[in-house]
Amino acid sequence: MTGPRVAVVGTGANGAGIGADLTRAGHDVTFIEQWPAHVEAMRRDGVRVEMPHETVVTPVRVHHLCEVAELREPFDIVFVLVKAYDTRWASELIKPLVAADGLVVGLQNGMQLGDMAEIIGLERTLGAVIEVTSNMFEPGVVERQSPPEKSWFAIGAMHPSTIGREEEAAAVLRAAGTVEISSDIRSSKWMKLVANAAELVPSAILDLPLGEAVRLPGMREFMVATGQEAVHTCLATGSRLMPIFGMTEADIADPDDYAVMLLDKVLTDYTLPSTRTTVLQDWMKGRRSEVEEINGFVVREQTRIGGEAPYNQRVVDLALRIEAGELTASPENLALLLAD
């Protein structure tokens, strides 16, 4: 193979689907994964990606994270797709294997740009936004509801030293979907966080697919209000509105309207009737979610500037009760979400 050596760190539903796309496109790709059964399934059978109109099986090269210390040849581009709360240890794990002039790209939810850059170095870190809808409930099998033609990414520099290098990563990632270059990646990530704050955790609290949750009386209005709080927090803390998901500057004139448009864009372009958000998938697997890195981030940023985010705070409170075993995710929680 020619071209950059690529690693994908975190090959769950999104990571495995994206890594398989890159592999089929002819790139030199190494998977690094923490779930032993998933590693063994991929080694034995490859990655099976089930999409709405086709199923593709791709043989891949995969290592368990405990085998990373055995690797010797550095990687030129590393895509990180672990949970936002795992960013720091994943960055430390891969740091020794990043080429001196290599690039690490965080294809994650949340705002962990600073954590990754602190460990990897600003001169080797790129920020990114991801919009891919996938499920994984069986080792080696990805249920990908947004195939490459419906997947979207943005990549942006965080430091003057990487301005102009975004295309190096984008050129590889385009095998998995549409990739845009963002001139302000922190603001772009805020826009994705706005969408996530509105839909990921609120719908999971109801134990419903996103498309079902939003149709319950009062739920759409709650989601919009949650997203609007996030938009205003973004602006109050120095970031700005940015077009994402293929939108244009004309779409982002009004912050409150933009929050509505982001929610609708996710619902219409990236969601199927059966789509369970990543938070609901985590809870179904007995794992904790990224609520602290999404809605919790909005709350903490508001607190830092002396404000409040009551809708996001309610989401955090209920989610943490569910994770503590004090409450069960259920449609009956609608009354708790909408309580005055």
Side-chain angles (χ1 to χ4, degrees):
M1 295 181 181
T2 60
R5 294 192 73 243
V6 178
V8 180
V9 180
T11 55
N14 285 343
I18 291 168
D21 289 339
L22 306 189
T23 300
R24 290 196 305 277
H27 295 293
D28 181 354
V29 182
T30 296
F31 284 35
I32 296 172
E33 171 56 33
Q34 61 180 313
W35 183 12
H38 186 34
V39 171
E40 294 308 313
M42 291 190 289
R43 281 178 173 163
R44 183 181 63 247
D45 303 319
V47 176
R48 179 183 177 89
V49 182
E50 300 173 349
M51 293 175 281
H53 302 297
E54 66 173 336
T55 295
V56 181
V57 178
T58 306
V60 297
R61 181 169 62 249
V62 57
H63 296 273
H64 190 272
L65 62 84
C66 68
E67 299 170 322
V68 170
E70 301 170 10
L71 302 178
R72 293 292 181 268
E73 193 172 351
F75 294 104
D76 302 300
I77 300 174
V78 178
F79 295 108
V80 177
L81 289 103
V82 298
K83 294 294 182 182
Y85 51 70
D86 288 332
T87 298
R88 294 194 69 89
W89 71 254
S91 298
E92 292 283 9
L93 177 76
I94 200 63
K95 179 181 178 180
L97 285 169
V98 181
D101 61 347
L103 294 170
V104 180
V105 186
L107 292 176
Q108 303 161 280
N109 293 322
M111 301 293 286
Q112 277 60 49
L113 292 169
D115 290 339
M116 183 173 290
E118 180 183 335
I119 294 166
I120 301 295
L122 279 166
E123 74 284 357
R124 296 194 295 178
T125 304
L126 294 176
V129 181
I130 176 174
E131 186 57 40
V132 178
T133 305
S134 301
N135 299 324
M136 176 175 284
F137 298 103
E138 179 182 347
V141 180
V142 178
E143 301 172 13
R144 184 164 173 181
Q145 297 169 331
S146 58
E149 62 270 20
K150 289 188 174 293
S151 298
W152 182 92
F153 308 88
I155 292 178
M158 298 174 56
H159 187 263
S161 62
T162 55
I163 293 175
R165 298 194 65 193
E166 304 94 333
E167 185 58 32
E168 295 175 36
V172 174
L173 192 57
R174 287 196 178 97
T178 299
V179 183
E180 299 179 6
I181 306 300
S182 171
S183 61
D184 182 350
I185 192 60
R186 182 172 180 82
S187 292
S188 292
K189 285 186 73 64
W190 253 115
M191 297 302 95
K192 178 61 189 303
L193 190 140
V194 168
N196 285 345
E199 44 111 357
L200 289 189
V201 191
S203 62
I205 288 170
L206 303 181
D207 193 29
L208 291 173
L210 180 56
E212 292 183 30
V214 76
R215 291 197 296 270
L216 294 182
M219 190 59 184
R220 175 181 169 82
E221 291 77 10
F222 180 88
M223 287 181 168
V224 166
T226 306
Q228 288 172 338
E229 280 186 352
V231 165
H232 288 286
T233 306
C234 162
L235 297 175
T237 54
S239 291
R240 60 192 176 97
L241 301 184
M242 292 282 290
I244 64 171
F245 303 159
M247 295 179 178
T248 67
E249 291 287 345
D251 296 323
I252 62 174
D254 180 85
D256 288 335
D257 288 346
Y258 189 33
V260 177
M261 292 181 66
L262 282 174
L263 176 61
D264 287 343
K265 190 76 169 175
V266 170
L267 289 169
T268 57
D269 290 5
Y270 301 102
T271 301
L272 296 178
S274 60
T275 296
R276 297 179 175 90
T277 69
T278 180
V279 170
L280 183 52
Q281 292 182 55
D282 286 338
W283 288 347
M284 293 171 69
K285 298 170 186 175
R287 301 177 57 179
R288 68 185 175 100
S289 72
E290 295 171 306
V291 63
E292 290 283 16
E293 289 72 28
I294 299 172
N295 303 88
F297 182 79
V298 176
V299 172
R300 291 192 299 277
E301 287 295 279
Q302 274 292 343
T303 299
R304 183 173 64 84
I305 61 175
E308 296 181 339
Y311 287 94
N312 282 274
Q313 183 67 66
R314 189 173 303 168
V315 169
V316 173
D317 292 344
L318 292 174
L320 293 182
R321 287 180 61 190
I322 289 170
E323 294 186 0
E326 300 170 0
L327 185 69
T328 301
S330 166
E332 294 179 1
N333 294 334
L334 180 64
L336 298 176
L337 274 176
L338 304 185
D340 293 332

